[in-house]
Amino acid sequence: MLAAFSITPIGVGEDVGEQVAAAVRVIRDSGLPNRTAASFTEIEGEWDEVMAIIKAATDAVMGVSTRCSIIIKADVRPGHHNTLTTKLESVERHLAQQ
């Protein structure tokens, strides 16, 4: 499973870097392949592993905030691994052909 998700703290002001860092720390400590960008984090693993990390990251944000909003997009594709890298490599390969 490859999941892209965003956990947004609400009611803590304009700068949410501290609250987001709490979530990213949990994700990075998980040991699962992941990549954080400006608006979303991607993580790859088995369904139960990924969902447990999303919950733990949400709990971390809720530990420093009173409310949050979560967006999750998931690609469930049994038998495929390393899609965090291979999907991007495919796009880059096609871009290089032009």
Side-chain angles (χ1 to χ4, degrees):
M1 167 186 212
L2 178 62
F5 66 101
S6 172
I7 304 170
T8 306
I10 298 173
V12 295
E14 190 173 323
D15 182 2
V16 296
E18 178 182 353
Q19 293 79 14
V20 171
V24 172
R25 189 171 293 111
V26 168
I27 296 158
R28 290 184 179 172
D29 288 348
S30 75
L32 293 179
N34 66 83
R35 178 175 34 232
T36 299
S39 295
F40 283 87
T41 293
E42 296 173 304
I43 189 168
E44 184 171 14
E46 296 299 318
W47 177 278
D48 290 339
E49 295 175 307
V50 169
M51 296 309 279
I53 296 305
I54 292 172
K55 181 185 183 320
T58 301
D59 290 345
V61 170
M62 292 302 295
V64 292
S65 179
T66 59
R67 183 178 178 195
C68 70
S69 172
I70 306 166
I71 297 171
I72 303 171
K73 179 184 185 291
D75 182 0
V76 180
R77 196 172 179 195
H80 288 79
H81 304 282
N82 198 29
T83 58
L84 186 67
T85 302
T86 58
K87 289 177 93 172
L88 185 57
E89 287 173 346
S90 174
V91 172
E92 292 295 340
R93 186 175 57 253
H94 288 283
L95 287 170
Q97 293 174 0
Q98 295 180 0

